[in-house]
Amino acid sequence: MPEQVQNADETLIDPITSHPGWDQTESKISIHGHPIHAMTVSFPVALTFCTFGADLLYWWTGDPFWARAGIWAAGTGFLFGMLAGLSGTMELLFVSGIRARAAAWTHFIIAVLLLALLGTNWGHRLYGYETAVLPYGLLLSSVCVLVVAFTGWHGGKLVFDYRLGTSKGSD
């Protein structure tokens, strides 16, 4: 079968460009041009890793301090995740250039899954945080770390590849 070669004269056409408002990607949920979603998303990411670290340290040392630190990190990560999710959802719904891209919806769906896992992890620990760590708390924390890495990677692609949600928008 002959190989198809693209000529230099041919230009690739992005089907998204036919959607109205595809180039309007400037953040509308911001404070003085600084997107709230980008500012708040680092907290649940960091606290998800802190929960996992606290669980590992509790497993290793047996010190109840780490189980108590894990419940606080899980709860705070979930609450900050809800704030980041609210601002991200508002960006998705209010900015047509973000809404037009399938990658933004993929990031949204994975982030909702992450919020469900973070809430489950916190809820699992609410009644008896020391007994909740092993084995299911540690398992939930490790799954949360994998999902937060996956959704963070997708979110980074949206910002760095498509410049979505930035103050200047896409070119």
Side-chain angles (χ1 to χ4, degrees):
M1 176 183 263
E3 193 175 308
Q4 291 184 347
V5 178
Q6 182 179 349
N7 295 334
D9 296 338
E10 292 181 24
T11 58
L12 298 175
I13 299 171
D14 186 358
I16 299 296
T17 59
S18 64
H19 291 275
W22 72 274
D23 59 343
Q24 298 171 2
T25 61
E26 185 174 336
S27 176
K28 293 190 189 244
I29 314 301
S30 61
I31 299 172
H32 298 293
H34 298 281
I36 292 174
H37 182 67
M39 290 190 291
T40 58
V41 76
S42 59
F43 292 102
V45 170
L47 288 164
T48 299
F49 281 92
C50 287
T51 306
F52 181 63
D55 287 352
L56 286 176
L57 286 168
Y58 177 75
W59 185 29
W60 186 37
T61 66
D63 187 348
F65 167 79
W66 293 114
R68 197 168 51 255
I71 190 172
W72 279 98
T76 310
F78 173 71
L79 294 175
F80 270 106
M82 292 298 289
L83 179 63
L86 178 65
S87 61
T89 300
M90 291 188 329
E91 291 282 7
L92 181 68
L93 297 177
F94 294 153
V95 182
S96 59
I98 295 174
R99 203 173 44 247
R101 288 174 169 81
W105 290 97
T106 303
H107 173 67
F108 172 76
I109 290 167
I110 298 167
V112 169
L113 170 67
L114 176 62
L115 281 174
L117 288 169
L118 290 174
T120 301
N121 198 4
W122 182 37
H124 175 68
R125 296 162 190 268
L126 284 176
Y127 302 102
Y129 57 89
E130 283 186 59
T131 58
V133 174
L134 296 174
Y136 297 112
L138 182 59
L139 179 65
L140 275 169
S141 294
S142 60
V143 170
C144 287
V145 163
L146 293 174
V147 175
V148 81
F150 193 56
T151 192
W153 182 78
H154 274 277
K157 295 239 347 132
L158 291 170
V159 171
F160 297 118
D161 291 352
Y162 297 114
R163 297 181 63 190
L164 298 184
T166 60
S167 60
K168 294 181 181 175
S170 62
D171 295 327

